[in-house]
Structure formats: structure tokens, C-alpha cells
Amino acid sequence: ERAIATGEIQTLEYTLATPDGPHHYESRTVRSGPEEVVSIVRDVTERKQAEAQLAHPALPDALTGRPNRVLFRERLRHAIECANRRAGYRFAVLFLDLDHFKVINDSLGHAVGDQLLITLAQRLRQCVRVGDTIARLGGDEFVILVEDIDEVLAVITTAERIQDELK
């Protein structure tokens, strides 16, 4: 109707559910006569999938399988929103940087350094609650988001548990 009324090309994107999953289409419609239109429809599923991948880079860290900085930022943003909405909602962020990690890579090789990071991520997982987020920022840096805490002592206990585990 808009193409007939305005005479301009009208573009519409839509998604159809199919047994193979969603398929994305783009149609362009233009007036071809007083009461006629011509539409060209093309499948843009591959383009939409590529755009989604570019917009959301892989969320797990390739080496450790832990969330990466993108996912950590999303979870931190969510925690901040919860704190703004709910009185008494508190969270903490713990930052962990391995001192002299470069020495390990330089002297023992990157394969040993990678194994150390994988082991570290596994050990950190044992020190926190199920809902807490451990993310690898990159290199030898990790952050831990401890959400919905009742008291500061709970965070201190978590930090002490991490220190004990990594000794």
C-alpha cells in the first residue's frame, strides 16, 4: 500500500521460522502500475548470521573456556542495573593478575604458560559460588564478579579462599 501511495521503493526485512531454523528475508517493493507492485525478495540469512557474529564476538575465552571481557562487561552492567533497582543489592569485583607470568612464558614456553592459565581458571571455579562469574580479561588477568552478597565478609572469605587455593 505504501509503495502504491508514495511511488517510492519500500524495503522490509522479516524472519520466518522454518524446520531448519529462522530464515531472514529482505523484500523491496515498488509501484509498477496504478494498482500494481513488483517485489523482489531475497534470502539474507547468511548476512544476518555474519552480522550477529561480528556484533557478539565469541563469549568464552578460547584458552580457558571462561567468559571473556565482552561477556564480563555484560554481566557487570546487569549487576549495576540490579543494584540501581533493588535496595540492598550489592556486588563486588575482584581483580587477579599473575605476577611475573612473562617469566614463565619466556623460560618454560607458551604451552606451559597456557596450561598454567587453564589450571588457574579451573581452580578459581572451585573457590566461588555457582552464580559468580570468573572471566579472563586477557593475558594473565582475571576478574571475578561476586553478585548478590549479603555482607562484605562474604567477599573477603572468597578472596581468602582464592589466595589459599593458589598458594
Side-chain angles (χ1 to χ4, degrees):
E1 290 176 351
R2 207 174 317 150
I4 290 174
T6 66
E8 297 174 359
I9 296 174
Q10 301 298 310
T11 302
L12 175 68
E13 288 189 10
Y14 54 95
T15 303
L16 296 177
T18 70
D20 299 334
H23 281 263
H24 305 278
Y25 297 94
E26 176 184 84
S27 71
R28 292 182 181 219
T29 304
V30 66
R31 183 175 60 200
S32 60
E35 297 293 321
E36 295 176 350
V37 295
V38 173
S39 289
I40 298 173
V41 179
R42 64 185 179 132
D43 186 339
V44 294
T45 302
E46 287 183 24
R47 185 193 78 199
K48 288 291 193 181
Q49 290 170 341
E51 287 173 356
Q53 281 184 325
L54 289 173
H56 296 288
L59 296 179
D61 173 64
L63 179 64
T64 63
R66 302 305 318 148
N68 67 9
R69 73 174 58 236
V70 173
L71 181 54
F72 177 76
R73 284 184 184 153
E74 288 178 16
R75 292 190 179 170
L76 179 59
R77 182 180 40 76
H78 178 262
I80 292 169
E81 288 173 2
C82 286
N84 288 334
R85 281 193 315 263
R86 290 180 25 204
Y89 183 90
R90 296 188 295 182
F91 65 92
V93 176
L94 304 174
F95 180 79
L96 178 69
D97 178 62
L98 298 178
D99 290 338
H100 311 294
F101 181 73
K102 184 178 180 335
V103 173
I104 293 169
N105 275 341
D106 292 346
S107 63
L108 301 174
H110 288 279
V112 173
D114 288 351
Q115 189 56 50
L116 176 64
L117 293 172
I118 292 166
T119 302
L120 173 68
Q122 291 168 346
R123 287 188 174 196
L124 288 174
R125 186 76 235 136
Q126 297 170 11
C127 297
V128 298
R129 300 171 305 174
V130 173
D132 296 337
T133 301
I134 301 165
R136 180 172 173 225
L137 294 184
D140 63 347
E141 297 177 340
F142 289 82
V143 287
I144 301 158
L145 176 61
V146 184
E147 290 192 71
D148 203 11
I149 54 177
D150 294 328
E151 55 185 34
V152 175
L153 185 58
V155 179
I156 293 170
T157 303
T158 299
E160 289 172 345
R161 198 170 29 247
I162 290 169
Q163 285 181 321
D164 290 342
E165 181 66 28
L166 300 183
K167 281 184 182 174

